[in-house]
Amino acid sequence: MIVCKFGGTSVQDAEAMERVACVIKQRLKQKPIVVASAMGRTTDGLLKAASLAADGKKQEALEQVTRLREKHLRETQKLLSGSSRGDVLDAISLHFKEVGTLMRGLAVLGELTPRSMDAIASFGERLSTLILAHVFEERGIRSQLMDSRQCIITDENFTRAAPLFELTEAAIREQLGPAVKSGRVPVVQGFIGSTRNGITTTIGRGGSDYTAAIVGAALDAYDIQIWTDVDGIMTTDPRMVPEARRVKVISFDEAAELAYFGARVLHPATILPAVRKKIPVHVLNSYKPDQDGTLITDETPPCENPVKSIAYKKGITIVNIASTRMLMAHGFLKKIFEIFDLHKTPVDVVSTSEVSVSLTLDDTSTLFDVVTELKKIGEVNVDGGKAIVCCVGDHLRNIPGVAHLVFSALQDVNVHMISQGASAINVTFVIDEDRLPAAVRGLHDVFFQKLDSRIFE
Ligand code: ASP
Ligand code: MG
């Protein structure tokens, strides 16, 4: 069997859902399991309504809910004409009635807890899959609407719940196995799950990819297909460099590095369940279903280009800590990282010298507290407005002279930090954000002047 995951833009309206039905119809022999996101922008819309309601703006919240309701009803009306149409429209209205009740509750309480956010956000995927399952049926695809909350069992860390793997794998096999065996296409909500006590949770924004990988791993799928609105993994962001090309094959390690450093195609954690079971992942464009996309796999062919892709991340802040007490001392880094740990603040790039440490953050919500603590052990300065650029390629580890190429591309760009990752498959540096377009373009010119046709389209 295979798992086909469709992101928000791939199910955003009637035409998009129609394309999904075509894609699945062509793959029935491969026994697809469908995992779907909410219709594009629905999750944002629901969460926005929830925060309006909790802020006492009940009317605005309800108007927002009405808009979402109308969109879902309208697109469904375009899609369904058979006998189930009335029932599906009623079911959609009923879901929105429940959303409305929750909004009124939030308005009374004046408070929005992570647990309520998950309850509300879950409606997005519940609605999109309800519609999709009926669209399939009407198009002659025997399908079965599943409830992910009976499959993905998580801890209670609402809005970022972690799946409990043993329970989840067993539940997936129990829930989805029979549907697949009976020749139906199970339709599963991405992103949502539940605690052992049946309270609805979500596994983090963009988490539907993760759901797909978990389902694929639990059922030993032979392929996981992530259908999105881009052509796959590109040599860099085509919005920044229009000449960017498609990367046909990339390794799991390379894809994971890219995801961590801002490539927007994949949720980094997606990779893990697939990697563990060595299940290939395809990233495909649902708007161009005949294109090959990008294959992420364990076995990549050799590539003559040292770099396969350049990713970047904006909005980065550098924190520098300097202290002469660090000189010849030990345990200093430990103290620094304990502070970040205490404030649950992730650090991306680190570089050290004898008496100073520089780190980068992309989330500065805890910056004030972190800096206050750090000042107790050294001199601290904070430098915002930075960007991380990351060149990724398996062959960086054995090709000499890469640093020379990087620096020749960055001649006019001030590099604040540089690190050749411990994995040796990336070279990462930190520059001023306003130099980002020049840097990425420069690097792309240097590394992709000639293209190895086995790897690049
Ligand atoms: N609908 C969720 C979100 O927008 C999950 C997903 O799309 O993967 O974050
Ligand atoms: Mg999404």
Side-chain angles (χ1 to χ4, degrees), residues 286-322:
S286 68
Y287 290 77
K288 302 177 194 165
D290 298 325
Q291 240 186 35
D292 293 334
T294 298
L295 167 62
I296 307 172
T297 171
D298 201 30
E299 291 148 16
T300 49
C303 176
E304 272 165 23
N305 295 64
V307 169
K308 290 221 183 97
S309 182
I310 303 165
Y312 64 81
K313 207 165 167 185
K314 295 190 209 177
I316 299 296
T317 300
I318 300 182
V319 179
N320 296 298
I321 307 118

PDB file of all heavy atoms in Angstrom, residues 286-322:
ATOM      1  N   SER A 286       0.325  18.526  -6.787  1.00  0.00           N
ATOM      2  CA  SER A 286      -1.020  18.061  -7.160  1.00  0.00           C
ATOM      3  C   SER A 286      -1.594  18.872  -8.318  1.00  0.00           C
ATOM      4  O   SER A 286      -2.579  18.484  -8.921  1.00  0.00           O
ATOM      5  CB  SER A 286      -1.966  18.095  -5.958  1.00  0.00           C
ATOM      6  OG  SER A 286      -2.215  19.420  -5.561  1.00  0.00           O
ATOM      7  N   TYR A 287      -0.954  20.005  -8.633  1.00  0.00           N
ATOM      8  CA  TYR A 287      -1.404  20.784  -9.787  1.00  0.00           C
ATOM      9  C   TYR A 287      -0.771  20.289 -11.084  1.00  0.00           C
ATOM     10  O   TYR A 287      -1.185  20.665 -12.163  1.00  0.00           O
ATOM     11  CB  TYR A 287      -1.091  22.281  -9.571  1.00  0.00           C
ATOM     12  CG  TYR A 287      -1.972  22.871  -8.494  1.00  0.00           C
ATOM     13  CD1 TYR A 287      -1.710  22.637  -7.150  1.00  0.00           C
ATOM     14  CD2 TYR A 287      -3.108  23.620  -8.819  1.00  0.00           C
ATOM     15  CE1 TYR A 287      -2.537  23.138  -6.154  1.00  0.00           C
ATOM     16  CE2 TYR A 287      -3.937  24.125  -7.836  1.00  0.00           C
ATOM     17  CZ  TYR A 287      -3.649  23.876  -6.508  1.00  0.00           C
ATOM     18  OH  TYR A 287      -4.477  24.357  -5.533  1.00  0.00           O
ATOM     19  N   LYS A 288       0.296  19.488 -10.943  1.00  0.00           N
ATOM     20  CA  LYS A 288       0.937  18.883 -12.121  1.00  0.00           C
ATOM     21  C   LYS A 288       1.164  17.411 -11.814  1.00  0.00           C
ATOM     22  O   LYS A 288       2.312  16.971 -11.648  1.00  0.00           O
ATOM     23  CB  LYS A 288       2.295  19.556 -12.396  1.00  0.00           C
ATOM     24  CG  LYS A 288       2.221  21.057 -12.616  1.00  0.00           C
ATOM     25  CD  LYS A 288       3.646  21.585 -12.789  1.00  0.00           C
ATOM     26  CE  LYS A 288       3.706  23.104 -12.670  1.00  0.00           C
ATOM     27  NZ  LYS A 288       5.096  23.573 -12.471  1.00  0.00           N
ATOM     28  N   PRO A 289       0.086  16.647 -11.733  1.00  0.00           N
ATOM     29  CA  PRO A 289       0.206  15.278 -11.216  1.00  0.00           C
ATOM     30  C   PRO A 289       1.054  14.355 -12.082  1.00  0.00           C
ATOM     31  O   PRO A 289       1.450  13.286 -11.617  1.00  0.00           O
ATOM     32  CB  PRO A 289      -1.246  14.785 -11.130  1.00  0.00           C
ATOM     33  CG  PRO A 289      -2.052  15.747 -11.915  1.00  0.00           C
ATOM     34  CD  PRO A 289      -1.295  17.024 -12.022  1.00  0.00           C
ATOM     35  N   ASP A 290       1.363  14.752 -13.321  1.00  0.00           N
ATOM     36  CA  ASP A 290       2.159  13.851 -14.152  1.00  0.00           C
ATOM     37  C   ASP A 290       3.663  14.055 -13.997  1.00  0.00           C
ATOM     38  O   ASP A 290       4.459  13.289 -14.526  1.00  0.00           O
ATOM     39  CB  ASP A 290       1.762  13.999 -15.629  1.00  0.00           C
ATOM     40  CG  ASP A 290       0.300  13.607 -15.821  1.00  0.00           C
ATOM     41  OD1 ASP A 290      -0.147  12.680 -15.105  1.00  0.00           O
ATOM     42  OD2 ASP A 290      -0.390  14.250 -16.629  1.00  0.00           O
ATOM     43  N   GLN A 291       4.029  15.100 -13.254  1.00  0.00           N
ATOM     44  CA  GLN A 291       5.461  15.333 -13.021  1.00  0.00           C
ATOM     45  C   GLN A 291       5.992  14.404 -11.937  1.00  0.00           C
ATOM     46  O   GLN A 291       5.240  13.985 -11.067  1.00  0.00           O
ATOM     47  CB  GLN A 291       5.643  16.776 -12.561  1.00  0.00           C
ATOM     48  CG  GLN A 291       6.514  17.569 -13.468  1.00  0.00           C
ATOM     49  CD  GLN A 291       6.781  18.937 -12.890  1.00  0.00           C
ATOM     50  OE1 GLN A 291       6.901  19.121 -11.683  1.00  0.00           O
ATOM     51  NE2 GLN A 291       6.861  19.905 -13.769  1.00  0.00           N
ATOM     52  N   ASP A 292       7.323  14.144 -11.988  1.00  0.00           N
ATOM     53  CA  ASP A 292       7.883  13.167 -11.057  1.00  0.00           C
ATOM     54  C   ASP A 292       8.173  13.688  -9.656  1.00  0.00           C
ATOM     55  O   ASP A 292       8.388  12.918  -8.735  1.00  0.00           O
ATOM     56  CB  ASP A 292       9.187  12.594 -11.621  1.00  0.00           C
ATOM     57  CG  ASP A 292       8.901  11.765 -12.859  1.00  0.00           C
ATOM     58  OD1 ASP A 292       7.777  11.251 -12.972  1.00  0.00           O
ATOM     59  OD2 ASP A 292       9.794  11.659 -13.717  1.00  0.00           O
ATOM     60  N   GLY A 293       8.248  14.985  -9.480  1.00  0.00           N
ATOM     61  CA  GLY A 293       8.526  15.522  -8.159  1.00  0.00           C
ATOM     62  C   GLY A 293       9.919  15.155  -7.668  1.00  0.00           C
ATOM     63  O   GLY A 293      10.849  14.977  -8.451  1.00  0.00           O
ATOM     64  N   THR A 294      10.053  15.055  -6.352  1.00  0.00           N
ATOM     65  CA  THR A 294      11.348  14.699  -5.756  1.00  0.00           C
ATOM     66  C   THR A 294      11.193  13.411  -4.975  1.00  0.00           C
ATOM     67  O   THR A 294      10.254  13.260  -4.191  1.00  0.00           O
ATOM     68  CB  THR A 294      11.826  15.805  -4.791  1.00  0.00           C
ATOM     69  OG1 THR A 294      12.002  17.017  -5.512  1.00  0.00           O
ATOM     70  CG2 THR A 294      13.142  15.422  -4.125  1.00  0.00           C
ATOM     71  N   LEU A 295      12.142  12.518  -5.195  1.00  0.00           N
ATOM     72  CA  LEU A 295      12.166  11.278  -4.423  1.00  0.00           C
ATOM     73  C   LEU A 295      13.177  11.430  -3.290  1.00  0.00           C
ATOM     74  O   LEU A 295      14.331  11.762  -3.521  1.00  0.00           O
ATOM     75  CB  LEU A 295      12.573  10.115  -5.337  1.00  0.00           C
ATOM     76  CG  LEU A 295      12.959   8.808  -4.641  1.00  0.00           C
ATOM     77  CD1 LEU A 295      11.787   8.237  -3.849  1.00  0.00           C
ATOM     78  CD2 LEU A 295      13.455   7.787  -5.667  1.00  0.00           C
ATOM     79  N   ILE A 296      12.710  11.194  -2.069  1.00  0.00           N
ATOM     80  CA  ILE A 296      13.611  11.214  -0.914  1.00  0.00           C
ATOM     81  C   ILE A 296      13.817   9.766  -0.504  1.00  0.00           C
ATOM     82  O   ILE A 296      12.848   9.052  -0.242  1.00  0.00           O
ATOM     83  CB  ILE A 296      12.995  11.999   0.255  1.00  0.00           C
ATOM     84  CG1 ILE A 296      12.550  13.386  -0.214  1.00  0.00           C
ATOM     85  CG2 ILE A 296      13.994  12.132   1.396  1.00  0.00           C
ATOM     86  CD1 ILE A 296      11.753  14.140   0.830  1.00  0.00           C
ATOM     87  N   THR A 297      15.063   9.344  -0.511  1.00  0.00           N
ATOM     88  CA  THR A 297      15.313   7.924  -0.331  1.00  0.00           C
ATOM     89  C   THR A 297      16.615   7.672   0.416  1.00  0.00           C
ATOM     90  O   THR A 297      17.409   8.581   0.651  1.00  0.00           O
ATOM     91  CB  THR A 297      15.342   7.215  -1.707  1.00  0.00           C
ATOM     92  OG1 THR A 297      15.791   5.888  -1.532  1.00  0.00           O
ATOM     93  CG2 THR A 297      16.287   7.913  -2.672  1.00  0.00           C
ATOM     94  N   ASP A 298      16.801   6.424   0.748  1.00  0.00           N
ATOM     95  CA  ASP A 298      18.000   6.004   1.440  1.00  0.00           C
ATOM     96  C   ASP A 298      19.166   5.838   0.474  1.00  0.00           C
ATOM     97  O   ASP A 298      20.324   5.999   0.836  1.00  0.00           O
ATOM     98  CB  ASP A 298      17.653   4.652   2.072  1.00  0.00           C
ATOM     99  CG  ASP A 298      18.560   4.328   3.200  1.00  0.00           C
ATOM    100  OD1 ASP A 298      19.026   5.279   3.848  1.00  0.00           O
ATOM    101  OD2 ASP A 298      18.808   3.140   3.426  1.00  0.00           O
ATOM    102  N   GLU A 299      18.843   5.475  -0.747  1.00  0.00           N
ATOM    103  CA  GLU A 299      19.902   5.188  -1.729  1.00  0.00           C
ATOM    104  C   GLU A 299      19.863   6.214  -2.840  1.00  0.00           C
ATOM    105  O   GLU A 299      19.018   6.154  -3.721  1.00  0.00           O
ATOM    106  CB  GLU A 299      19.680   3.798  -2.338  1.00  0.00           C
ATOM    107  CG  GLU A 299      19.909   2.685  -1.342  1.00  0.00           C
ATOM    108  CD  GLU A 299      19.010   1.489  -1.606  1.00  0.00           C
ATOM    109  OE1 GLU A 299      18.441   1.390  -2.709  1.00  0.00           O
ATOM    110  OE2 GLU A 299      18.881   0.672  -0.682  1.00  0.00           O
ATOM    111  N   THR A 300      20.803   7.152  -2.785  1.00  0.00           N
ATOM    112  CA  THR A 300      20.823   8.161  -3.837  1.00  0.00           C
ATOM    113  C   THR A 300      21.965   7.868  -4.797  1.00  0.00           C
ATOM    114  O   THR A 300      23.030   7.430  -4.386  1.00  0.00           O
ATOM    115  CB  THR A 300      21.029   9.574  -3.256  1.00  0.00           C
ATOM    116  OG1 THR A 300      22.133   9.528  -2.362  1.00  0.00           O
ATOM    117  CG2 THR A 300      19.801  10.058  -2.544  1.00  0.00           C
ATOM    118  N   PRO A 301      21.749   8.121  -6.076  1.00  0.00           N
ATOM    119  CA  PRO A 301      22.838   7.945  -7.034  1.00  0.00           C
ATOM    120  C   PRO A 301      23.913   8.994  -6.781  1.00  0.00           C
ATOM    121  O   PRO A 301      23.641  10.020  -6.149  1.00  0.00           O
ATOM    122  CB  PRO A 301      22.156   8.170  -8.386  1.00  0.00           C
ATOM    123  CG  PRO A 301      20.858   8.825  -8.106  1.00  0.00           C
ATOM    124  CD  PRO A 301      20.508   8.592  -6.691  1.00  0.00           C
ATOM    125  N   PRO A 302      25.144   8.755  -7.270  1.00  0.00           N
ATOM    126  CA  PRO A 302      26.182   9.766  -7.102  1.00  0.00           C
ATOM    127  C   PRO A 302      25.801  11.054  -7.825  1.00  0.00           C
ATOM    128  O   PRO A 302      25.031  11.023  -8.782  1.00  0.00           O
ATOM    129  CB  PRO A 302      27.415   9.122  -7.741  1.00  0.00           C
ATOM    130  CG  PRO A 302      26.910   7.997  -8.564  1.00  0.00           C
ATOM    131  CD  PRO A 302      25.590   7.569  -8.002  1.00  0.00           C
ATOM    132  N   CYS A 303      26.338  12.166  -7.343  1.00  0.00           N
ATOM    133  CA  CYS A 303      25.998  13.458  -7.925  1.00  0.00           C
ATOM    134  C   CYS A 303      27.272  14.262  -8.107  1.00  0.00           C
ATOM    135  O   CYS A 303      28.099  14.328  -7.204  1.00  0.00           O
ATOM    136  CB  CYS A 303      25.045  14.193  -6.990  1.00  0.00           C
ATOM    137  SG  CYS A 303      24.632  15.854  -7.531  1.00  0.00           S
ATOM    138  N   GLU A 304      27.427  14.840  -9.283  1.00  0.00           N
ATOM    139  CA  GLU A 304      28.646  15.604  -9.515  1.00  0.00           C
ATOM    140  C   GLU A 304      28.625  16.972  -8.860  1.00  0.00           C
ATOM    141  O   GLU A 304      29.670  17.544  -8.591  1.00  0.00           O
ATOM    142  CB  GLU A 304      28.917  15.715 -11.011  1.00  0.00           C
ATOM    143  CG  GLU A 304      29.721  14.508 -11.448  1.00  0.00           C
ATOM    144  CD  GLU A 304      29.772  14.302 -12.924  1.00  0.00           C
ATOM    145  OE1 GLU A 304      29.574  15.289 -13.671  1.00  0.00           O
ATOM    146  OE2 GLU A 304      30.007  13.149 -13.319  1.00  0.00           O
ATOM    147  N   ASN A 305      27.442  17.494  -8.604  1.00  0.00           N
ATOM    148  CA  ASN A 305      27.377  18.786  -7.917  1.00  0.00           C
ATOM    149  C   ASN A 305      27.552  18.559  -6.411  1.00  0.00           C
ATOM    150  O   ASN A 305      26.884  17.698  -5.847  1.00  0.00           O
ATOM    151  CB  ASN A 305      26.016  19.447  -8.156  1.00  0.00           C
ATOM    152  CG  ASN A 305      25.795  19.797  -9.609  1.00  0.00           C
ATOM    153  OD1 ASN A 305      25.736  18.920 -10.464  1.00  0.00           O
ATOM    154  ND2 ASN A 305      25.671  21.076  -9.893  1.00  0.00           N
ATOM    155  N   PRO A 306      28.433  19.303  -5.792  1.00  0.00           N
ATOM    156  CA  PRO A 306      28.631  19.091  -4.354  1.00  0.00           C
ATOM    157  C   PRO A 306      27.399  19.495  -3.538  1.00  0.00           C
ATOM    158  O   PRO A 306      27.151  18.940  -2.474  1.00  0.00           O
ATOM    159  CB  PRO A 306      29.821  19.988  -4.017  1.00  0.00           C
ATOM    160  CG  PRO A 306      29.922  20.984  -5.122  1.00  0.00           C
ATOM    161  CD  PRO A 306      29.349  20.322  -6.346  1.00  0.00           C
ATOM    162  N   VAL A 307      26.627  20.455  -4.041  1.00  0.00           N
ATOM    163  CA  VAL A 307      25.458  20.944  -3.311  1.00  0.00           C
ATOM    164  C   VAL A 307      24.205  20.530  -4.072  1.00  0.00           C
ATOM    165  O   VAL A 307      24.165  20.613  -5.300  1.00  0.00           O
ATOM    166  CB  VAL A 307      25.522  22.483  -3.164  1.00  0.00           C
ATOM    167  CG1 VAL A 307      24.208  23.041  -2.642  1.00  0.00           C
ATOM    168  CG2 VAL A 307      26.666  22.879  -2.235  1.00  0.00           C
ATOM    169  N   LYS A 308      23.203  20.050  -3.333  1.00  0.00           N
ATOM    170  CA  LYS A 308      21.941  19.702  -4.007  1.00  0.00           C
ATOM    171  C   LYS A 308      20.906  20.802  -3.850  1.00  0.00           C
ATOM    172  O   LYS A 308      20.044  20.974  -4.694  1.00  0.00           O
ATOM    173  CB  LYS A 308      21.384  18.408  -3.427  1.00  0.00           C
ATOM    174  CG  LYS A 308      22.228  17.199  -3.822  1.00  0.00           C
ATOM    175  CD  LYS A 308      21.371  16.003  -4.168  1.00  0.00           C
ATOM    176  CE  LYS A 308      22.256  14.820  -4.480  1.00  0.00           C
ATOM    177  NZ  LYS A 308      22.413  13.964  -3.315  1.00  0.00           N
ATOM    178  N   SER A 309      20.974  21.521  -2.746  1.00  0.00           N
ATOM    179  CA  SER A 309      19.976  22.558  -2.565  1.00  0.00           C
ATOM    180  C   SER A 309      20.453  23.583  -1.546  1.00  0.00           C
ATOM    181  O   SER A 309      21.251  23.280  -0.658  1.00  0.00           O
ATOM    182  CB  SER A 309      18.654  21.927  -2.115  1.00  0.00           C
ATOM    183  OG  SER A 309      17.656  22.913  -1.974  1.00  0.00           O
ATOM    184  N   ILE A 310      19.949  24.795  -1.701  1.00  0.00           N
ATOM    185  CA  ILE A 310      20.304  25.890  -0.792  1.00  0.00           C
ATOM    186  C   ILE A 310      19.020  26.356  -0.106  1.00  0.00           C
ATOM    187  O   ILE A 310      18.076  26.775  -0.772  1.00  0.00           O
ATOM    188  CB  ILE A 310      20.917  27.075  -1.571  1.00  0.00           C
ATOM    189  CG1 ILE A 310      22.141  26.607  -2.365  1.00  0.00           C
ATOM    190  CG2 ILE A 310      21.282  28.206  -0.624  1.00  0.00           C
ATOM    191  CD1 ILE A 310      22.579  27.606  -3.439  1.00  0.00           C
ATOM    192  N   ALA A 311      18.987  26.254   1.212  1.00  0.00           N
ATOM    193  CA  ALA A 311      17.809  26.695   1.956  1.00  0.00           C
ATOM    194  C   ALA A 311      18.177  27.932   2.769  1.00  0.00           C
ATOM    195  O   ALA A 311      19.356  28.223   2.984  1.00  0.00           O
ATOM    196  CB  ALA A 311      17.328  25.586   2.888  1.00  0.00           C
ATOM    197  N   TYR A 312      17.156  28.650   3.198  1.00  0.00           N
ATOM    198  CA  TYR A 312      17.452  29.806   4.058  1.00  0.00           C
ATOM    199  C   TYR A 312      16.330  30.012   5.047  1.00  0.00           C
ATOM    200  O   TYR A 312      15.220  29.502   4.883  1.00  0.00           O
ATOM    201  CB  TYR A 312      17.678  31.067   3.218  1.00  0.00           C
ATOM    202  CG  TYR A 312      16.455  31.505   2.455  1.00  0.00           C
ATOM    203  CD1 TYR A 312      15.438  32.244   3.064  1.00  0.00           C
ATOM    204  CD2 TYR A 312      16.301  31.173   1.111  1.00  0.00           C
ATOM    205  CE1 TYR A 312      14.312  32.631   2.356  1.00  0.00           C
ATOM    206  CE2 TYR A 312      15.177  31.549   0.401  1.00  0.00           C
ATOM    207  CZ  TYR A 312      14.182  32.284   1.034  1.00  0.00           C
ATOM    208  OH  TYR A 312      13.070  32.645   0.343  1.00  0.00           O
ATOM    209  N   LYS A 313      16.641  30.764   6.047  1.00  0.00           N
ATOM    210  CA  LYS A 313      15.669  31.059   7.088  1.00  0.00           C
ATOM    211  C   LYS A 313      15.892  32.503   7.500  1.00  0.00           C
ATOM    212  O   LYS A 313      17.013  32.882   7.836  1.00  0.00           O
ATOM    213  CB  LYS A 313      15.976  30.131   8.268  1.00  0.00           C
ATOM    214  CG  LYS A 313      14.846  29.779   9.168  1.00  0.00           C
ATOM    215  CD  LYS A 313      15.324  28.581   9.979  1.00  0.00           C
ATOM    216  CE  LYS A 313      14.523  28.211  11.158  1.00  0.00           C
ATOM    217  NZ  LYS A 313      15.151  27.114  11.910  1.00  0.00           N
ATOM    218  N   LYS A 314      14.822  33.305   7.437  1.00  0.00           N
ATOM    219  CA  LYS A 314      14.961  34.717   7.811  1.00  0.00           C
ATOM    220  C   LYS A 314      14.613  34.923   9.284  1.00  0.00           C
ATOM    221  O   LYS A 314      14.164  34.010   9.943  1.00  0.00           O
ATOM    222  CB  LYS A 314      13.997  35.554   6.976  1.00  0.00           C
ATOM    223  CG  LYS A 314      14.269  35.592   5.506  1.00  0.00           C
ATOM    224  CD  LYS A 314      13.360  36.653   4.901  1.00  0.00           C
ATOM    225  CE  LYS A 314      13.017  36.305   3.465  1.00  0.00           C
ATOM    226  NZ  LYS A 314      12.102  37.266   2.880  1.00  0.00           N
ATOM    227  N   GLY A 315      14.735  36.153   9.727  1.00  0.00           N
ATOM    228  CA  GLY A 315      14.285  36.494  11.077  1.00  0.00           C
ATOM    229  C   GLY A 315      15.132  35.868  12.167  1.00  0.00           C
ATOM    230  O   GLY A 315      14.640  35.443  13.204  1.00  0.00           O
ATOM    231  N   ILE A 316      16.432  35.797  11.903  1.00  0.00           N
ATOM    232  CA  ILE A 316      17.335  35.134  12.854  1.00  0.00           C
ATOM    233  C   ILE A 316      18.023  36.174  13.745  1.00  0.00           C
ATOM    234  O   ILE A 316      18.378  37.269  13.295  1.00  0.00           O
ATOM    235  CB  ILE A 316      18.400  34.330  12.070  1.00  0.00           C
ATOM    236  CG1 ILE A 316      17.722  33.257  11.208  1.00  0.00           C
ATOM    237  CG2 ILE A 316      19.452  33.736  12.992  1.00  0.00           C
ATOM    238  CD1 ILE A 316      16.976  32.188  11.965  1.00  0.00           C
ATOM    239  N   THR A 317      18.217  35.822  14.987  1.00  0.00           N
ATOM    240  CA  THR A 317      18.910  36.687  15.936  1.00  0.00           C
ATOM    241  C   THR A 317      20.163  35.970  16.440  1.00  0.00           C
ATOM    242  O   THR A 317      20.106  34.794  16.780  1.00  0.00           O
ATOM    243  CB  THR A 317      17.972  36.994  17.126  1.00  0.00           C
ATOM    244  OG1 THR A 317      16.816  37.657  16.617  1.00  0.00           O
ATOM    245  CG2 THR A 317      18.646  37.861  18.172  1.00  0.00           C
ATOM    246  N   ILE A 318      21.258  36.701  16.466  1.00  0.00           N
ATOM    247  CA  ILE A 318      22.500  36.125  17.025  1.00  0.00           C
ATOM    248  C   ILE A 318      22.647  36.574  18.473  1.00  0.00           C
ATOM    249  O   ILE A 318      22.433  37.746  18.792  1.00  0.00           O
ATOM    250  CB  ILE A 318      23.756  36.601  16.245  1.00  0.00           C
ATOM    251  CG1 ILE A 318      23.673  36.174  14.776  1.00  0.00           C
ATOM    252  CG2 ILE A 318      25.029  36.057  16.888  1.00  0.00           C
ATOM    253  CD1 ILE A 318      24.912  36.577  13.962  1.00  0.00           C
ATOM    254  N   VAL A 319      22.983  35.659  19.337  1.00  0.00           N
ATOM    255  CA  VAL A 319      23.315  36.008  20.717  1.00  0.00           C
ATOM    256  C   VAL A 319      24.790  35.665  20.926  1.00  0.00           C
ATOM    257  O   VAL A 319      25.202  34.523  20.695  1.00  0.00           O
ATOM    258  CB  VAL A 319      22.443  35.205  21.719  1.00  0.00           C
ATOM    259  CG1 VAL A 319      22.817  35.564  23.158  1.00  0.00           C
ATOM    260  CG2 VAL A 319      20.957  35.455  21.468  1.00  0.00           C
ATOM    261  N   ASN A 320      25.578  36.671  21.312  1.00  0.00           N
ATOM    262  CA  ASN A 320      27.003  36.442  21.593  1.00  0.00           C
ATOM    263  C   ASN A 320      27.233  36.495  23.096  1.00  0.00           C
ATOM    264  O   ASN A 320      26.749  37.402  23.764  1.00  0.00           O
ATOM    265  CB  ASN A 320      27.870  37.541  20.972  1.00  0.00           C
ATOM    266  CG  ASN A 320      27.785  37.535  19.468  1.00  0.00           C
ATOM    267  OD1 ASN A 320      28.158  36.559  18.823  1.00  0.00           O
ATOM    268  ND2 ASN A 320      27.270  38.621  18.906  1.00  0.00           N
ATOM    269  N   ILE A 321      27.963  35.537  23.605  1.00  0.00           N
ATOM    270  CA  ILE A 321      28.305  35.536  25.027  1.00  0.00           C
ATOM    271  C   ILE A 321      29.825  35.478  25.108  1.00  0.00           C
ATOM    272  O   ILE A 321      30.440  34.568  24.548  1.00  0.00           O
ATOM    273  CB  ILE A 321      27.723  34.315  25.761  1.00  0.00           C
ATOM    274  CG1 ILE A 321      26.228  34.226  25.493  1.00  0.00           C
ATOM    275  CG2 ILE A 321      27.991  34.376  27.254  1.00  0.00           C
ATOM    276  CD1 ILE A 321      25.816  32.985  24.774  1.00  0.00           C
ATOM    277  N   ALA A 322      30.425  36.457  25.788  1.00  0.00           N
ATOM    278  CA  ALA A 322      31.877  36.450  25.921  1.00  0.00           C
ATOM    279  C   ALA A 322      32.241  36.528  27.393  1.00  0.00           C
ATOM    280  O   ALA A 322      31.586  37.235  28.172  1.00  0.00           O
ATOM    281  CB  ALA A 322      32.475  37.642  25.181  1.00  0.00           C
TER     282      ALA A 322
END
